[in-house]
Amino acid sequence: MNPKKPFILFYIVTVLFFAGLDGAGAETPAAFLSGAEQTAAHAGLFAAAGETVRLCEAFLSENPGATEEERREIAQATAAVLDSIRLTPLSGPEETTAGNAFAGPFTASIVSLNGAPEPGEALQFTASFPENGAGKRITAEFRVQVPSGGGPVQAAYLPPAPPCGVTGTLEIRPAFLDGAPQTMQLLEEFAPETSRALRAEFPYRVAAPKNRPTVISLLDYDQNGRTVADSPSAHALLAALIRLGFRGTGMAEFPPQIDPADEPALYDAAAALFGGNDMRYIYGTVHTSALEKNAEGGFTAVLSASIHVYDFRQKEKTAAYPFRAAATGETERQALENAEFALCEQTIAPALEYGM
């Protein structure tokens, strides 16, 4: 007999107890699966689900060497309770502009397949959404009161006014999933449908303000790693942003600071030159990754860019993106110009419009 089998069964029986089931005789995961699906709601749907997640996380933390069979068993046992809860996106507001709140909340419908939350019960949820394009996210908890007279249960969350442009996803999920990363990973591996059903996702789009003072500094490199004079990519990006309606945007060159990626020195130099109190600063490098003759007799150019945005008003980096674009041309110069257009006009500028 697997020496860990009694421990797994202990967890299953404990979960049965918290789900309002009779643990006696529940000697297999199959018994738990069939019983929990029918009666988990009797002890309070969210209470049973939260306790199940807590026990699953404890099992995984205490058994890092659990076999695949053991992980599958505990995943199935956990999913059996969590399958009673479904979150579906109901409605979400249109996009907004940085500095302005969304017109209304993001709302998810809470569907129970086996019973319903108790009238008057307070349910805890978490909303997670991007704060900026540099990978920073905000997580906020909020409470939903189940209507005392019955009826549909909805989780609605209105984020605070976003500080900068950003594109991503807002997610609403039960708060009992927070602090249980191993359980979520387990469910994604063995019960992906359960994992997806516990989260309602919404498009989250915030346009960057187009009247902020903005400075662009890009350093170009050719295919041999040499710097290119006159910052062609900065010129192309400036023209692209102006065509998108950005105003108060210009260029500056700081190659000594950009080249070694000395960001503190770069920010100091930019602030000293422009004042910097309200400035938005776009900087980075563009490399010619390839410039080769192609099968059609012309040339193919590939450009790779690393673009960052520092907001002096917020005193932090608000965007960090890798970009890549390729194009062809009859000559090397034409291929490079076409790749530059594809990179700056068609890729970077549209991303920054909703990402800085």
Side-chain angles (χ1 to χ4, degrees):
M1 181 179 179
N2 186 331
K4 291 184 181 177
K5 191 76 170 181
F7 188 67
I8 295 175
L9 291 178
F10 166 77
Y11 268 78
I12 293 173
V13 171
T14 307
V15 172
L16 287 172
F17 171 79
F18 279 99
L21 305 176
D22 180 6
E27 298 177 351
T28 66
F32 172 75
L33 291 169
S34 61
E37 286 180 351
Q38 297 174 27
T39 58
H42 293 343
L45 203 59
F46 273 63
E51 185 61 27
T52 302
V53 168
R54 187 189 70 79
L55 292 170
C56 180
E57 192 71 12
F59 170 82
L60 295 172
S61 296
E62 295 169 17
N63 294 270
T67 66
E68 182 173 352
E69 177 188 357
E70 293 164 346
R71 288 170 57 82
R72 188 184 303 277
E73 282 182 327
I74 200 70
Q76 290 174 340
T78 302
V81 175
L82 301 184
D83 278 343
S84 295
I85 301 171
R86 293 284 189 273
L87 268 67
T88 56
L90 188 62
S91 63
E94 296 293 326
E95 66 183 49
T96 188
T97 302
N100 298 306
F102 284 94
F106 295 83
T107 305
S109 176
I110 307 164
V111 180
S112 168
L113 302 183
N114 298 312
E118 296 293 326
E121 185 179 358
L123 309 179
Q124 292 291 125
F125 289 89
T126 296
S128 175
F129 51 96
E131 181 177 7
N132 57 39
K136 190 174 181 180
R137 291 186 68 84
I138 294 176
T139 299
E141 282 199 11
F142 64 102
R143 178 176 293 187
V144 173
Q145 198 78 23
V146 179
S148 57
V153 182
Q154 297 175 356
Y157 178 76
L158 180 62
C164 62
V166 67
T167 301
T169 300
L170 182 143
E171 178 183 287
I172 293 177
R173 60 181 181 266
F176 59 68
L177 296 178
D178 296 337
Q182 295 180 95
T183 300
M184 292 307 299
Q185 182 179 350
L186 185 77
L187 292 173
E188 289 171 8
E189 182 178 355
F190 294 106
E193 291 185 3
T194 299
S195 176
R196 286 193 296 269
L198 289 168
R199 297 172 291 183
E201 295 184 344
F202 306 82
Y204 186 89
R205 279 170 62 84
V206 181
K210 295 184 176 181
N211 57 354
R212 290 274 309 278
T214 303
V215 175
I216 303 170
S217 298
L218 299 181
L219 189 59
D220 290 89
Y221 293 88
D222 66 16
Q223 66 272 28
N224 298 311
R226 297 187 296 257
T227 56
V228 179
D230 299 326
S231 304
S233 294
H235 283 280
L237 181 57
L238 173 62
L241 290 175
I242 290 174
R243 277 190 283 273
L244 287 175
F246 284 84
R247 297 293 178 263
T249 303
M251 291 170 43
E253 294 186 7
F254 298 100
Q257 290 83 16
I258 293 178
D259 197 10
D262 186 351
E263 292 182 322
L266 182 62
Y267 302 154
D268 289 343
L273 184 60
F274 299 105
N277 291 333
D278 192 45
M279 189 176 69
R280 187 170 48 193
Y281 187 42
I282 303 169
Y283 64 96
T285 57
V286 178
H287 291 262
T288 302
S289 303
L291 181 59
E292 302 170 339
K293 201 166 185 62
N294 55 40
E296 288 73 31
F299 291 86
T300 299
V302 180
L303 300 181
S304 301
S306 177
I307 305 298
H308 307 262
V309 180
Y310 185 85
D311 193 315
F312 281 87
R313 179 189 294 174
Q314 297 183 52
K315 294 181 172 54
E316 67 175 349
K317 185 187 291 189
T318 58
Y321 305 113
F323 294 105
R324 186 178 183 275
T328 61
E330 294 182 2
T331 65
E332 289 186 346
R333 181 179 179 84
Q334 188 180 68
L336 281 170
E337 289 176 348
N338 291 342
E340 194 173 84
F341 180 84
L343 179 69
C344 297
E345 184 87 24
Q346 299 177 336
T347 308
I348 300 177
L352 293 182
E353 186 178 19
Y354 287 88
M356 70 172 177

